[in-house]
Amino acid sequence: MTKMCLFYPNPSGHARSDPILSTVCAADHVHTFYGPQNFHPNTTNEQLRNTNPQYSTSPFIENQSLYWHPSIYQVTEDANGQIVHTRVNDLDSSPYYRWNKNTLPETVEFPQGFRMIAYSNSPGAVTGGEAGENLLVECCDFLPNGEEDCTSTTGNPLIFPTKTCGFLGIAFAMPTCWDESKGIGTNDPFSHVAYTTDGSVTGPCPAGFNKRIPQIQLFVRITNYKGGKYQLSDGSDVFHVDFMNGWQENTLQNVIDNCELTGVPGYNPPCDCTQFLTENTNTAPAVCDSDVKQYIVNEETEVVNVLPRGTCIGADLIEKSWTQDPPFAATDCHGNNPPSPGPPGNDDENDDETDDGENDDGENDDGEGPEECADSMLEFKAGKKLRLCQDWVAAKPGQRCQKPGVSEHCPVTCEAPDMCEENSRRKFVPEEVGKLRSCTWVAKNVSERCGLIDMCNTCRETCLGHEECTNFEE
């Protein structure tokens, strides 16, 4: 057995979109996506494959496949006893690829245009996987020695535990047998694939399924799981995973052919094979709901009393206004964001003056520019890591300054003088706090928080002119 592990630090976004089943109108329910930010319903495999890596959460450039599942909601009651559904956003994911190139029929890469959907109650989906049954739910806490202490349930239906835990993991594997004569799933994303007769990766394929494809097991994690009541966006207890192939042609086949077997038996040999791929060092954040509402479907999906449901029911699908890289501009989904440019033909803004009263040359209306400019010295979040302007950005400014929000945090390194009076759009770590915060947090207590170390070089607009704000680079 060979296993390749692809870690996605965050979703690419959430929307009532389904590029496989509903390409012309809103989908039946909200989905959570991983991979390219190209998750408008009218998206093709070719557009996924050609996505610029900076618009994708994929950890490797050669794989711009799109994976999605029904969004997960926490269910509570407000003070008036009304039901409130709050979408879970604190997620990461690991698509695990498994295969054995020595088992017949041969294992081949996903052909161009390939797509498939699998449900936890699909024929053959109940066996195999982590513990003899495909669907796995585990509630885990971290022990002092770094090990995990987990309790788990296996098999359909999906059961959300009511207790709290450090993280909740949901794992579900897709079929590994492909009937080449039935095509690539364009009109029917179900019947061209099947599980092996015993559910294992290397088990026999049903009659007529003449090819193997790598097994994709999508492992989704909810960090800091709060317990209580949760449900899927479609209201069911059946989990499902959708996949649209975005691999560069011949790349996955090269991995399958040339990555050697580990020799370790069982379902979970060590992760391997990513040495054949190119790391994406500029992964994207999740698309903000404000951009989803402007460019895909204009409806609330994060906190709702009633889950938005029904194919082609409710808010209309917004016609897609881009062909390759999406136009999304928001970077701090709950704070200050630059306005999105809007679809073509919606230019309502004055081209001669910006919203903050400054002209296009960055000078104030009185003709005086900013007196000084400095990068923030605070660590900021990029993907799943904390970075600094002075080392990580400075090492590759031409590439990393293009990542949304980096030039606002690092205007000197990015040679972006027009950002010298702007707030950082990134989440950062104040030294006195030790946790991720944003300029929105600073604005809630300007008198105290603008005096924190280097806050004047981080939340420049919020702290402008504050008497306790000092340029700590001096």
Side-chain angles (χ1 to χ4, degrees):
M1 179 88 74
T2 303
K3 182 174 75 169
M4 181 169 64
C5 308
L6 311 178
F7 177 73
Y8 288 64
N10 51 265
S12 51
H14 317 264
R16 196 153 62 96
S17 171
D18 191 327
I20 293 180
L21 292 180
S22 182
T23 61
V24 297
C25 58
D28 175 74
H29 51 274
V30 182
H31 287 111
T32 295
F33 296 85
Y34 306 88
Q37 293 178 331
N38 267 323
F39 52 81
H40 189 283
N42 187 14
T43 297
T44 67
N45 295 75
E46 181 180 8
Q47 290 168 342
L48 292 178
R49 191 169 62 252
N50 293 332
T51 299
N52 187 315
Q54 76 180 61
Y55 296 101
S56 174
T57 63
S58 172
F60 296 102
I61 291 174
E62 294 86 353
N63 178 26
Q64 298 305 327
S65 300
L66 194 61
Y67 315 81
W68 65 95
H69 60 78
S71 295
I72 301 168
Y73 284 83
Q74 184 181 23
V75 184
T76 57
E77 289 187 4
D78 63 17
N80 298 318
Q82 190 170 16
I83 297 296
V84 177
H85 300 84
T86 303
R87 196 185 65 218
V88 176
N89 299 326
D90 197 2
L91 298 161
D92 60 62
S93 179
S94 296
Y96 295 126
Y97 282 58
R98 293 180 176 87
W99 68 89
N100 186 331
K101 64 181 179 182
N102 295 330
T103 303
L104 294 177
E106 65 176 328
T107 301
V108 298
E109 70 176 1
F110 301 103
Q112 298 301 300
F114 189 90
R115 68 274 309 277
M116 61 177 170
I117 304 173
Y119 287 80
S120 59
N121 64 350
S122 297
V126 296
T127 58
E130 299 275 349
E133 294 187 82
N134 189 349
L135 181 65
L136 169 72
V137 178
E138 58 181 9
C139 197
C140 301
D141 290 304
F142 292 102
L143 300 174
N145 62 2
E147 297 293 322
E148 297 173 2
D149 179 27
C150 302
T151 57
S152 61
T153 60
T154 58
N156 197 65
L158 171 64
I159 300 174
F160 286 103
T162 56
K163 70 173 186 176
T164 62
C165 48
F167 74 87
L168 181 79
I170 302 173
F172 179 66
M174 305 188 82
T176 57
C177 300
W178 173 39
D179 183 346
E180 197 174 12
S181 69
K182 293 182 179 178
I184 57 175
T186 304
N187 298 316
D188 177 3
F190 303 99
S191 64
H192 63 313
V193 292
Y195 289 92
T196 58
T197 57
D198 63 3
S200 68
V201 176
T202 59
C205 284
F209 289 81
N210 63 318
K211 300 285 187 183
R212 287 185 193 270
I213 47 178
Q215 183 196 73
I216 297 176
Q217 182 194 42
L218 189 67
F219 197 107
V220 177
R221 299 173 190 83
I222 303 175
T223 57
N224 299 315
Y225 183 71
K226 298 177 181 178
K229 183 178 180 180
Y230 287 77
Q231 74 171 81
L232 299 176
S233 58
D234 62 359
S236 79
D237 56 8
V238 177
F239 194 66
H240 68 267
V241 174
D242 298 49
F243 169 74
M244 280 182 71
N245 179 32
W247 282 91
Q248 292 180 10
E249 193 168 10
N250 299 323
T251 299
L252 185 55
Q253 192 63 54
N254 179 57
V255 175
I256 293 169
D257 293 342
N258 295 298
C259 190
E260 296 299 325
L261 293 170
T262 62
V264 178
Y267 191 68
N268 278 316
C271 296
D272 197 5
C273 307
T274 56
Q275 64 268 27
F276 294 90
L277 304 174
T278 307
E279 183 183 2
N280 180 9
T281 60
N282 200 26
T283 56
V287 175
C288 293
D289 285 351
S290 58
D291 276 332
V292 171
K293 293 175 182 177
Q294 182 170 355
Y295 291 100
I296 301 178
V297 180
N298 185 11
E299 65 181 1
E300 177 61 40
T301 65
E302 185 172 23
V303 181
V304 294
N305 297 119
V306 179
L307 292 174
R309 289 292 310 276
T311 303
C312 301
I313 294 174
D316 291 334
L317 178 67
I318 299 170
E319 183 178 356
K320 191 175 182 182
S321 59
W322 69 97
T323 56
Q324 182 175 324
D325 294 330
F328 309 138
T331 56
D332 181 356
C333 294
H334 297 94
N336 295 315
N337 285 301
S340 297
N346 289 345
D347 296 329
D348 295 328
E349 296 180 1
N350 189 323
D351 292 333
D352 296 325
E353 188 172 75
T354 61
D355 289 340
D356 60 3
E358 291 186 351
N359 297 318
D360 292 341
D361 59 7
E363 294 186 347
N364 294 325
D365 290 340
D366 59 8
E368 296 181 1
E371 294 181 359
E372 57 188 334
C373 187
D375 288 342
S376 173
M377 304 293 287
L378 303 182
E379 292 182 312
F380 66 94
K381 187 177 181 183
K384 200 171 180 65
K385 297 182 180 180
L386 295 176
R387 304 290 193 182
L388 286 168
C389 300
Q390 302 91 319
D391 52 21
W392 184 72
V393 178
K396 294 182 179 180
Q399 177 184 9
R400 290 168 179 164
C401 288
Q402 300 302 312
K403 189 173 180 66
V406 170
S407 61
E408 288 94 334
H409 200 82
C410 313
V412 175
T413 298
C414 293
E415 298 182 354
D418 54 327
M419 299 298 176
C420 289
E421 293 184 327
E422 296 293 324
N423 282 338
S424 173
R425 313 297 183 188
R426 287 282 177 167
K427 290 187 176 180
F428 50 83
V429 182
E431 292 187 19
E432 297 89 338
V433 178
K435 296 180 180 180
L436 285 169
R437 294 291 185 259
S438 69
C439 289
T440 304
W441 173 79
V442 174
K444 292 178 180 178
N445 190 349
V446 171
S447 62
E448 177 180 335
R449 294 169 181 172
C450 282
L452 300 178
I453 292 178
D454 209 43
M455 200 56 68
C456 65
N457 290 330
T458 305
C459 302
R460 305 174 189 89
E461 183 179 1
T462 298
C463 297
L464 182 65
H466 192 274
E467 60 182 10
E468 295 183 14
C469 187
T470 304
N471 188 325
F472 292 93
E473 251 197 347
E474 293 180 347

